[in-house]
Amino acid sequence: MKEVIYETLKNLHFTEYEAKAYLTLLEESPLTGYAVAKNSGVPRSRIYEVLDSLALRGDILVSPGSTPQYTPVPAKELIKNRRREAEENFELAEKSLAEFERSANDRENIWNITGSSEILDKVKDCICSAKKRILLEVWDEEYEALEHVLRQAAKKGVDIIIISYGEITSEFAHVYHHYMGDEITDEYGGRWIVISSDDTEVVAGIVSLGKDSRAAWTRHVGLVMPITEVIIHDLYLMEIMEKHRGLLEESFGKNLIHLRHKFSIHPDFKKHYVK
């Protein structure tokens, strides 16, 4: 009979010595460590290590004193505790594996987002999940909706760098004012938003078409890396224009108009987004 119970306790993560000590205490308690060793057959050199392990796990109780005595948690309570622990472990495994699976899928997929408010909600998610750095290109209209979550991210120590189109001021972020501002909106027929969060996920798209606005969100490295680098290169240009604007406009025209004509996919600058 005892051999069957030993095997059952082993399935509940008892060692052989722990099972023997626990069953001995179920038969008679309280007992000193010496008595548990004598009655159970557990070597005296190991008994206090075994009893400490059982007590730490909550399977037995210790009565302190000059000679500690030990008593078992009732079998029914032991099983109840083990069942609760198993359910908690299953719940944790289910949650963590689902999150891992979702994260693995997210690393490979590109998700379409429709509607300006839905796009801004996803941008807020990216801001809230950031741990180190946020790179953001945004117009002042959309910035107002994002300012609060950006401020909270900054309070957590996230470095926030913004390329602004329009009059954006901030005491918690590094703000670079685009040298053209509203002219960009006129040329491209709409406002866009681009965010890179911790260089691991991006949202990019048009946000000025209301419910017809379109954007993409992804963690796919094949898009995250180049989109992040585009923002960084825009920052390069902001720094260069600030220090050498006169020289550059002498070579390429006001606001680099000649370069924009040369490389724009719409040389007449009539790039209007169709709903």
Side-chain angles (χ1 to χ4, degrees):
M1 178 67 178
K2 277 191 175 181
E3 294 302 322
V4 175
I5 298 176
Y6 288 153
E7 291 302 315
T8 300
L9 289 175
K10 286 179 183 179
N11 290 334
L12 296 178
H13 306 298
F14 280 72
T15 67
E16 180 181 352
Y17 286 166
E18 287 173 347
K20 287 182 176 181
Y22 180 76
L23 281 186
T24 296
L25 287 169
L26 277 183
E27 289 178 323
E28 181 183 356
S29 65
L31 293 176
T32 64
Y34 172 81
V36 175
K38 181 181 177 181
N39 295 351
S40 66
V42 176
R44 287 179 59 187
S45 61
R46 298 287 308 280
I47 191 60
Y48 290 104
E49 173 191 340
V50 170
L51 291 171
D52 286 346
S53 175
L54 289 169
L56 183 63
R57 207 163 58 212
D59 296 335
I60 65 173
L61 303 176
V62 186
S63 174
S66 56
T67 304
Q69 297 198 68
Y70 302 87
T71 189
V73 167
K76 188 173 182 179
E77 185 176 340
L78 175 81
I79 299 303
K80 179 181 176 181
N81 291 341
R82 284 294 197 278
R83 182 176 287 115
R84 185 189 68 250
E85 291 168 4
E87 289 173 353
E88 289 173 353
N89 286 332
F90 280 127
E91 288 176 5
L92 179 61
E94 183 179 32
K95 180 179 178 182
S96 59
L97 288 171
E99 289 178 351
F100 178 82
E101 185 177 28
R102 183 167 60 251
S103 176
N105 289 336
D106 288 345
R107 286 194 294 270
E108 298 300 324
N109 291 329
I110 302 166
W111 302 96
N112 182 58
I113 308 171
T114 303
S116 56
S117 61
E118 289 78 6
I119 293 168
L120 290 177
D121 284 344
K122 191 60 192 177
V123 171
K124 290 176 185 178
D125 289 343
C126 291
I127 294 169
C128 291
S129 66
K131 300 292 189 297
K132 297 178 181 178
R133 181 173 78 163
I134 291 169
L135 302 177
L136 175 65
E137 292 201 15
V138 65
W139 266 255
D140 50 2
E141 289 92 333
E142 284 69 47
Y143 175 78
E144 291 181 8
L146 303 174
E147 183 177 14
H148 176 71
V149 288
L150 286 167
R151 186 184 299 275
Q152 295 303 310
K155 287 180 179 178
K156 295 189 299 183
V158 178
D159 188 26
I160 299 173
I161 303 172
I162 297 173
I163 297 176
S164 78
Y165 298 87
E167 295 301 319
I168 294 176
T169 58
S170 172
E171 76 281 3
F172 59 81
H174 309 285
V175 180
Y176 291 79
H177 294 281
H178 197 278
Y179 58 94
M180 288 185 63
D182 290 340
E183 294 176 65
I184 290 286
T185 311
D186 294 336
E187 286 186 10
Y188 284 84
R191 301 186 307 275
W192 64 80
I193 193 166
V194 185
I195 184 172
S196 172
S197 174
D198 288 339
D199 308 329
T200 58
E201 66 176 319
V202 297
V203 176
I206 300 300
V207 290
S208 57
L209 301 179
K211 61 182 176 58
D212 293 311
S213 298
R214 296 287 189 276
W217 167 66
T218 187
R219 288 194 178 106
H220 195 301
V221 66
L223 284 178
V224 170
M225 182 187 68
I227 290 174
T228 301
E229 283 299 319
V230 165
I231 302 175
I232 291 171
H233 278 78
D234 280 348
L235 291 167
Y236 293 164
L237 185 57
M238 300 299 99
E239 294 270 10
I240 292 169
M241 284 292 287
E242 183 178 347
K243 289 181 169 53
H244 304 289
R245 186 178 189 119
L247 178 62
L248 291 168
E249 289 190 337
E250 183 179 331
S251 299
F252 302 111
K254 181 174 175 58
N255 290 330
L256 311 185
I257 187 69
H258 301 324
L259 285 178
R260 301 205 318 277
H261 271 300
K262 182 175 181 178
F263 293 108
S264 174
I265 60 174
H266 292 270
D268 59 356
F269 289 161
K270 292 181 180 179
K271 185 177 182 180
H272 297 290
Y273 291 92
V274 178
K275 294 185 180 181

